[in-house]
Amino acid sequence: MAVMEMKEAINQALKEEMIRDEKVFILGEEVAEFNGAYKVTKGLLDHFGPKRVIDTPISETGFTGLAVGAAMMGLRPVVEFMSFNFSFVAIDQILSNAAKMYYMSGGLFPVPIVFRGPNGAGPRVSSQHSHNVESLYAHFPGLHVLSPSNPADAKGMLKAAIRCNDPVIFLENELNYSLKGEVPEGSDHIVPIGKGNIVREGSHVTLIAWSRMMSLAQKAAEELAKQGVEVELLDPRSLKPLDMPLIAASVKKTGRVVVVEEGHFFCGLGAQISDSIYRDLFDYIDAPIARVAQSENPMPYAANLETATMPTVGRIIEAVNQVTYRS
């Protein structure tokens, strides 16, 4: 295995899939000449040329619609949003067309398309560039929603997304792009859609987190282990569809659950996960499920207020103490 940053793992997945299938192409703002705003597409223009790595105008509605049409005609576009906040400009194309075309055409037009880019808050980018969109897109039928937390998963999940015949929302995180980890080499590394992962085994409480929140959850689990609390740490990886059998097996073992997400508390994905656990596993729960999420306000610009808004290791530990009746 090679050690690489997450952005390099994503780049490797794109390159391998473009070599494997000539129908795969990339488009978005600054993906070609500038190598991507976060250098995720570095070197791809030189390797594949301007017909397969395409710089677009600053018009998300336009290039997203173009990509949906290309997918309907049998190509496999990968659309990069410089930030998933900018996907809101193209949301009609995503929700009204990409997500529904296969159903509305009676199976005549599959839409094999990946929408990818950074989701969530970057450092000091304020309110209009800090949205977490997973619960929004997961709400609508017709879309898969994936969110990797480490370089190996980023590679394997993106390859699965590109090969999928349905539209996929692939949520990265700006603050995870420099995260390093071991990544399997070669084109055979695939992480199937709908399969979660047990990051750390434990017996006292199930802690569910994804994307950048996984790093915080791991730190919390390490601190809690020093206090005698063994956390079972789960990474759903696939947010829609969810790997409920994996979650169920852990909940049956621990009887206690904490869900951590970077998004807002109200109508967050943690609410859906909690509902699924209560609905299917109520007899196994020994304490009310605790949720840790972003506070209910637009993201401030000031660093101290940004920290106060976001989940922290301390808040995760407090939630675990709450469900284990240690607080």
Side-chain angles (χ1 to χ4, degrees):
M1 291 191 182
V3 175
M4 62 181 68
E5 295 180 343
M6 184 179 283
K7 64 173 178 255
E8 296 172 318
I10 296 170
N11 177 280
Q12 190 175 88
L14 291 168
K15 185 174 183 178
E16 289 176 1
E17 291 305 299
M18 292 178 76
I19 292 172
R20 189 187 73 87
D21 187 349
E22 63 180 13
K23 294 179 180 179
V24 178
F25 71 100
I26 300 169
L27 71 164
E29 295 155 357
E30 299 183 349
V31 298
E33 295 287 348
F34 194 64
N35 288 312
Y38 300 98
K39 307 308 175 189
V40 172
T41 53
K42 183 177 180 180
L44 297 182
L45 173 64
D46 293 337
H47 193 282
F48 297 102
K51 289 186 178 181
R52 296 186 65 193
V53 184
I54 304 169
D55 276 332
T56 66
I58 303 175
S59 176
E60 283 79 9
T61 299
F63 65 73
T64 301
L66 181 151
V68 172
M72 291 171 62
M73 293 294 101
L75 299 180
R76 308 187 83 88
V78 178
V79 178
E80 177 179 302
F81 293 119
M82 190 180 294
S83 165
F84 252 96
N85 301 270
F86 305 157
S87 73
F88 298 159
V89 181
I91 204 163
D92 185 49
Q93 295 288 359
I94 298 170
L95 299 183
S96 298
N97 294 321
K100 297 177 174 63
M101 188 56 65
Y102 185 68
Y103 173 83
M104 294 179 66
S105 67
L108 184 62
F109 289 110
V111 186
I113 188 170
V114 177
F115 302 103
R116 54 152 295 270
N119 175 53
R124 261 69 67 203
V125 293
S126 194
S127 302
Q128 294 176 325
H129 295 74
S130 300
H131 299 98
N132 286 269
V133 303
E134 55 262 48
S135 60
L136 187 158
Y137 286 117
H139 180 73
F140 291 91
L143 298 172
H144 299 303
V145 182
L146 311 181
S147 188
S149 66
N150 61 75
D153 283 351
K155 177 181 177 180
M157 291 166 65
L158 182 55
K159 290 169 72 69
I162 292 172
R163 298 184 189 190
C164 181
N165 288 326
D166 301 316
V168 177
I169 304 293
F170 194 85
L171 303 174
E172 301 150 15
N173 189 286
E174 175 187 343
L175 297 178
N176 270 357
Y177 279 141
S178 60
L179 182 68
K180 290 186 177 181
E182 291 187 340
V183 178
E185 298 184 82
S187 59
D188 295 332
H189 175 55
I190 303 289
V191 176
I193 293 173
K195 293 296 181 182
N197 183 43
I198 298 177
V199 177
R200 179 190 182 110
E201 294 192 358
S203 58
H204 294 147
V205 59
T206 298
L207 180 56
I208 302 172
W210 57 91
S211 190
R212 192 166 70 88
M213 294 298 99
M214 178 54 63
S215 297
L216 300 184
Q218 287 176 309
K219 292 176 182 177
E222 291 167 4
E223 184 61 34
L224 286 160
K226 298 174 185 177
Q227 304 172 23
V229 179
E230 293 302 326
V231 170
E232 178 134 299
L233 186 53
L234 264 61
D235 184 351
R237 302 193 293 199
S238 175
L239 304 179
K240 187 179 185 180
L242 271 172
D243 189 351
M244 279 308 298
L246 182 76
I247 294 173
S250 180
V251 172
K252 289 177 181 179
K253 179 167 65 171
T254 68
R256 305 170 195 276
V257 182
V258 174
V259 185
V260 184
E261 62 185 308
E262 187 178 333
H264 293 292
F265 189 88
F266 189 81
C267 289
L269 200 68
Q272 176 61 49
I273 295 173
S274 299
D275 174 75
S276 298
I277 293 171
Y278 279 131
R279 185 160 30 90
D280 299 336
L281 302 160
F282 184 78
D283 291 341
Y284 297 95
I285 298 295
D286 295 325
I289 296 172
R291 293 176 56 203
V292 180
Q294 186 179 152
S295 60
E296 293 296 307
N297 54 272
M299 182 63 69
Y301 177 78
N304 60 328
L305 297 179
E306 184 181 73
T307 299
T309 294
M310 296 290 285
T312 62
V313 172
R315 288 177 60 195
I316 296 171
I317 292 173
E318 182 181 346
V320 170
N321 287 338
Q322 175 185 329
V323 301
T324 54
Y325 300 121
R326 299 173 71 249
S327 57

